[in-house]
Amino acid sequence: MNGSPMLRSLLFAIKIGIFVAAAILVVQYPGSIEVKWQNYRANVHTGVVIFTVLFALAFVLFLHRVYLFLTNIPQALKDRRTRKQNLLGWRSLTRGLSAVAAGDIEAADKQAQKARQYLPKDQGLSLLLEAQAARLKGHEDEAAALFRKLTDNKDTAFLGVRGMLVNALERGDQAQALTLARQGLDMHPRQGWIIKMVYDLELSARDWDHAERTLRRAERYNAIDKEAARNDRVAMLVAQADEASDKGDNVTALKYLKQAQALDEGFTPVAERLARIYWSRNNKRGAIAAIEKAWRTQPHTDLLPLWEKLAPDNEIKNSGKRMKWYERLVALNPESDESQMAAAGEAINQALWGEARQYLKMAEQIRPSARLYRLWSLAEDKQGHEDSARSYLEKAENAPIDKVWACQESGQVFERWIPVTPQGHFNTIIWGYPGVRRASAMQQLMPQNELMMLAK
């Protein structure tokens, strides 16, 4: 019985007291029993008979307990030996897992052998330790076999799948990795990191339909926040539109781009693609509307070449009307430095120095930039003000650098936004500053030490 020694002693004393009181009561019980056997006759007090029977019964029970104790000694010794082996086995497992975490191949291999010796029937963590030790030694086939063996046990199946998944990723076998990740997701359908893993692998495979379904699940279980999910949907739609355009299917491309613009009206790459397709189909009104919708929300210099092409013919020849064409952008978003610089650039082209100065001053009030001061320098140089032009160039050198399309994974700069980089990074290009990098999605998901991940 569990409890403190004092409590157990008290309970034992109570039991002894009850037994003694019962014995006294029985002995004092009145009456007698006559016993006849052949020529013998005896009268025995009833209490004595009852007490003798009870004592005999207690003595038999005591002998039975002694017998059980003696016959149980071998099993007790065996159980003790098993407990000791288990303790040594778990100690070896702990040390082995720590060795794998530290990258100590020799210690990991040694502890794996000990764990197998002490825990010969274990098909869980000892197998995992062996597999990880084999991986550290570079024995990939042996490790793969051990990971597959883990999948035979429902309690360790996920550890096996996860280990094989790591191996597949290291080999660069994206197809096998995706299959294994989906198996893991079937086992743990609500685990955010597994959902994200499947999603990233589906994106790498450009399996947009499955990726969209997985993205919905990721949102449901908070593996991806709402804003990031919306951005990814836009990028997936643009990717599908680009694939359709490459096949000459502008109808399908338009369908995807319209869906993308409905999700994010100000996203420049969508507006630019829409305007180009409309332009190629002689639908100037649609192209103008696409650019204006984006410019109201997020003016961007990438839209200006198309805006120039879309200028009505009569405005191309008339400088005053050309200025109105660019002033239309200012009217759409006057609080943007891009709007002011677009009008300033056209004013400089038309040698309208007063208007150029006005727009440049407005842009400087909104946000000074290197590109703005280069425009100032150009305007001054065209007017023959060499000293002033040089001064603005110096300001440009000290001003905040211009934003570019830069990949957050690689830091590479691109001339235009694309949904998937040549390195296979999905939706990692942003309008920002070069050199800004982040940890890859796979690095965020998987710790550098796979064992710590696998042993969770």
Side-chain angles (χ1 to χ4, degrees), residues 116-171:
R116 176 52 56 203
Q117 176 187 347
Y118 294 130
L119 303 170
K121 295 182 180 180
D122 180 65
Q123 298 297 308
L125 288 180
S126 60
L127 270 181
L128 174 63
L129 176 57
E130 284 187 83
Q132 289 297 320
R135 288 187 70 239
L136 281 178
K137 291 186 292 184
H139 301 167
E140 295 298 336
D141 292 339
E142 180 185 350
L146 290 167
F147 282 128
R148 279 194 295 272
K149 195 172 181 180
L150 279 170
T151 62
D152 295 336
N153 182 343
K154 67 177 183 178
D155 294 329
T156 59
F158 181 72
L159 290 174
V161 169
R162 199 168 184 179
M164 290 188 290
L165 172 58
V166 172
N167 284 347
L169 289 171
E170 288 186 345
R171 295 193 311 270

Side-chain angles (χ1 to χ4, degrees), residues 31-37 40-46 49:
S32 63
I33 297 174
E34 184 179 1
V35 180
K36 292 181 179 180
W37 185 63
Y40 295 95
R41 177 182 295 180
N43 286 322
V44 183
H45 192 278
T46 302
V49 173

Side-chain angles (χ1 to χ4, degrees), residues 359-385:
Y359 289 123
L360 289 170
K361 284 182 177 180
M362 286 295 297
E364 188 173 19
Q365 290 176 11
I366 296 170
R367 190 180 72 88
S369 66
R371 187 156 60 90
L372 168 65
Y373 290 124
R374 286 195 295 270
L375 271 177
W376 267 112
S377 178
L378 177 62
E380 294 298 312
D381 184 63
K382 284 194 172 187
Q383 295 175 75
H385 305 157

Side-chain angles (χ1 to χ4, degrees), residues 75-106:
Q75 184 62 42
L77 293 174
K78 183 179 179 181
D79 290 345
R80 182 183 177 186
R81 186 167 56 252
T82 300
R83 286 194 297 271
K84 184 177 180 180
Q85 282 190 326
N86 288 340
L87 178 62
L88 293 172
W90 283 106
R91 185 178 298 168
S92 296
L93 279 175
T94 302
R95 291 175 176 174
L97 292 173
S98 297
V100 172
D104 188 338
I105 300 175
E106 183 178 348

Side-chain angles (χ1 to χ4, degrees), residues 43-271:
N43 286 322
V44 183
H45 192 278
T46 302
V48 173
V49 173
I50 295 174
F51 179 79
T52 302
V53 171
L54 291 176
F55 180 80
L57 180 61
F59 184 70
V60 170
L61 291 174
F62 170 74
L63 291 177
H64 179 68
R65 292 290 297 272
V66 171
Y67 170 77
L68 290 178
F69 172 77
L70 293 175
T71 56
N72 196 47
I73 288 177
Q75 184 62 42
L77 293 174
K78 183 179 179 181
D79 290 345
R80 182 183 177 186
R81 186 167 56 252
T82 300
R83 286 194 297 271
K84 184 177 180 180
Q85 282 190 326
N86 288 340
L87 178 62
L88 293 172
W90 283 106
R91 185 178 298 168
S92 296
L93 279 175
T94 302
R95 291 175 176 174
L97 292 173
S98 297
V100 172
D104 188 338
I105 300 175
E106 183 178 348
D109 187 42
K110 179 181 178 180
Q111 296 301 329
Q113 292 178 19
K114 283 187 176 181
R116 176 52 56 203
Q117 176 187 347
Y118 294 130
L119 303 170
K121 295 182 180 180
D122 180 65
Q123 298 297 308
L125 288 180
S126 60
L127 270 181
L128 174 63
L129 176 57
E130 284 187 83
Q132 289 297 320
R135 288 187 70 239
L136 281 178
K137 291 186 292 184
H139 301 167
E140 295 298 336
D141 292 339
E142 180 185 350
L146 290 167
F147 282 128
R148 279 194 295 272
K149 195 172 181 180
L150 279 170
T151 62
D152 295 336
N153 182 343
K154 67 177 183 178
D155 294 329
T156 59
F158 181 72
L159 290 174
V161 169
R162 199 168 184 179
M164 290 188 290
L165 172 58
V166 172
N167 284 347
L169 289 171
E170 288 186 345
R171 295 193 311 270
D173 189 344
Q174 297 289 311
Q176 178 68 7
L178 178 54
T179 299
L180 291 166
R182 284 172 173 165
Q183 288 181 21
L185 186 57
D186 289 339
M187 297 176 188
H188 297 280
R190 297 186 178 186
Q191 281 296 316
W193 78 265
I194 309 178
I195 298 172
K196 188 66 167 58
M197 171 71 80
V198 172
Y199 176 60
D200 287 342
L201 289 168
E202 287 171 345
L203 290 175
S204 295
R206 304 199 179 199
D207 187 350
W208 310 121
D209 291 337
H210 282 100
E212 167 59 28
R213 288 197 285 272
T214 305
L215 180 57
R216 288 199 295 270
R217 179 185 286 193
E219 283 186 281
R220 188 183 316 131
Y221 296 113
N222 297 317
I224 297 177
D225 63 62
K226 299 294 183 183
E227 182 66 19
R230 182 182 67 90
N231 292 338
D232 276 5
R233 282 196 177 89
V234 171
M236 277 193 278
L237 289 167
V238 175
Q240 293 174 88
D242 286 351
E243 290 176 359
S245 292
D246 291 341
K247 297 175 183 177
D249 186 359
N250 283 337
V251 173
T252 301
L254 273 175
K255 180 190 75 173
Y256 287 127
L257 290 171
K258 286 178 180 177
Q259 292 176 17
Q261 192 173 52
L263 290 173
D264 189 351
E265 290 186 352
F267 193 44
T268 299
V270 173

